[in-house]
Amino acid sequence: MERWPWSSGGAWLLVAARALLQLLRADLRLGRPLLAALALLAVLDWLCQRLLPPLAALAVLTAAGWIALSRLARPPRLPVATRAVLITGCDSGFGKETAKQLDTMGFTVLATVLDLDSPGALELRACCSPRLKLLQMDLTKPADISRVLEFTKTHTSSSGLWGLVNNAGYNAVVADVELSPVDTFRSCMEVNFFGALELTKGLLPLLRQSRGRIVTVGSPAGDMPYQCLGAYGTSKAAVVLLMDTFSCELLPWGIKVSVVQPGCFKTESVLNVGRWEMSKQLLLANLPRDLLQAYGKDYIEHLHRQFVHSLRQALPDLSPVVDAITDALLAAQPQRRYYPGRGVSLMYFIHYYLPEGLRRRFLQLFFISPCLPRALQPDQPGPTPGHSPGEAQ
């Protein structure tokens, strides 16, 4: 039976008018979520035209479109005004791009770098406004942290410090935990945990005064057992738990705490294949003889190749992470967790809801495929896998 076309046309006209208004106000972004919502509305339109009277079809389609656009709309944001933000790790990657975007928006940006003459520091100095201040800081050196704290207190006395972005991160080795020197765990913890802890505690009086924001860049490796990222993942897990504790403790002070858990993006550290090769050679040169015999050089070479191959899937556009950090700083009600990056939400769904065997296979499929150490290979002498030396045969 033929239906009246005006119900469909009227609903689409109302939805299109609101979408256009949101786009003009920058409350809505063209992208896959919007296209998916429009596709679902088209399916709903088709069903309504066949199952409902014209007035009911108009009401249902309009309501569905209104709800979809409301869900897709960006949450209300606070004005930038004269807000000051300190960002760590601005030599490259997320830190550098976030500093550039916040400076463009009108923030007073205090950007810390390891080297004031690094390419990233020179780029920031060349392309950003005079509001941006470059500060040298090594998070493993208390004297550097103290100097940055004093500078921040002095230079934000009038505007106040609105936000801290703990972005600086460090990973020293890609290897099984047994193969990784304990010093690599300490190195990762010094930067990713203790450095962030000392800096955050030092800035809390300023952040309490402004009722500001703390944003920390974590990693899915801190939530999931990524093979060969034990040192890095452990330090990220520690800092995320620390931020969750801060989130509870600082709530009465009005400070909001967010953690950004990005997928794999093509930052400078990811693209530096020579650095990972040097790390592998250093590991092989210093590995105890018994461990090298048990695991074998081929095993370590395989893990390194798989790791480097997985980096080829990294996303070149860093804007999802930069946008997440910006939203955490300015949204009236920021999220406690952000998951920018292709497939990250699916990864977390699999991790939390599927059986352990499927979780493990998923990580192996998209990260490092399994490989037996030399001592466990069938043609090698030694205990049979699954049996301890003293176990009855």
Side-chain angles (χ1 to χ4, degrees), residues 174 225-229 303 305-311 313 361-369:
V174 177
Y226 276 82
Q227 186 179 0
C228 302
L229 294 182
L303 296 183
R305 285 195 305 271
Q306 290 283 302
F307 175 73
V308 172
H309 181 267
S310 72
L311 298 182
Q313 305 173 25
R361 290 177 186 175
F362 177 81
L363 288 178
Q364 291 172 348
L365 178 64
F366 289 97
F367 188 54
I368 292 180
S369 60

Side-chain angles (χ1 to χ4, degrees), residues 179 284 287-300 373-377 380-381:
L179 302 177
L284 287 170
L287 204 60
R289 184 177 179 182
D290 59 332
L291 280 181
L292 185 58
Q293 289 179 339
Y295 281 85
K297 182 180 178 181
D298 289 344
Y299 178 83
I300 297 172
R374 178 194 292 173
L376 296 180
Q377 293 174 7
Q380 297 295 323

Side-chain angles (χ1 to χ4, degrees), residues 74-122:
R74 292 182 177 182
R77 285 191 168 185
L78 304 174
V80 173
T82 58
R83 300 182 194 274
V85 174
L86 188 146
I87 310 171
T88 65
C90 295
D91 298 84
S92 62
F94 304 137
K96 183 182 71 176
E97 297 304 317
T98 301
K100 288 162 64 176
Q101 174 158 305
L102 295 185
D103 177 74
T104 301
M105 295 173 67
F107 278 90
T108 296
V109 177
L110 307 180
T112 76
V113 293
L114 270 175
D115 182 359
L116 290 172
D117 294 320
S118 67
L122 296 176

Side-chain angles (χ1 to χ4, degrees), residues 190-316:
E190 282 295 330
V191 176
N192 301 340
F193 178 77
F194 287 111
L197 169 62
E198 187 172 353
L199 183 65
T200 304
K201 282 174 62 69
L203 293 174
L204 280 181
L206 298 176
L207 293 168
R208 283 192 283 106
Q209 184 178 356
S210 64
R211 299 173 67 87
R213 304 290 171 85
I214 300 173
V215 185
T216 300
V217 178
S219 170
D223 290 327
M224 307 175 202
Y226 276 82
Q227 186 179 0
C228 302
L229 294 182
Y232 178 73
T234 301
S235 64
K236 286 296 187 179
V239 77
V240 168
L241 180 58
L242 172 68
M243 293 302 149
D244 284 344
T245 305
F246 273 139
S247 180
C248 296
E249 295 177 350
L250 298 175
L251 190 61
W253 296 96
I255 298 176
K256 293 181 171 62
V257 181
S258 299
V259 173
V260 180
Q261 303 279 56
C264 189
F265 288 84
K266 288 186 178 179
T267 60
E268 281 83 344
S269 60
V270 167
L271 295 174
N272 191 350
V273 178
R275 171 179 171 240
W276 300 117
E277 176 67 26
M278 187 180 302
S279 174
K280 181 198 70 177
Q281 295 298 339
L282 192 63
L283 175 69
L284 287 170
N286 293 281
L287 204 60
R289 184 177 179 182
D290 59 332
L291 280 181
L292 185 58
Q293 289 179 339
Y295 281 85
K297 182 180 178 181
D298 289 344
Y299 178 83
I300 297 172
E301 293 282 1
H302 169 82
L303 296 183
H304 178 263
R305 285 195 305 271
Q306 290 283 302
F307 175 73
V308 172
H309 181 267
S310 72
L311 298 182
R312 297 175 186 170
Q313 305 173 25
L315 302 175

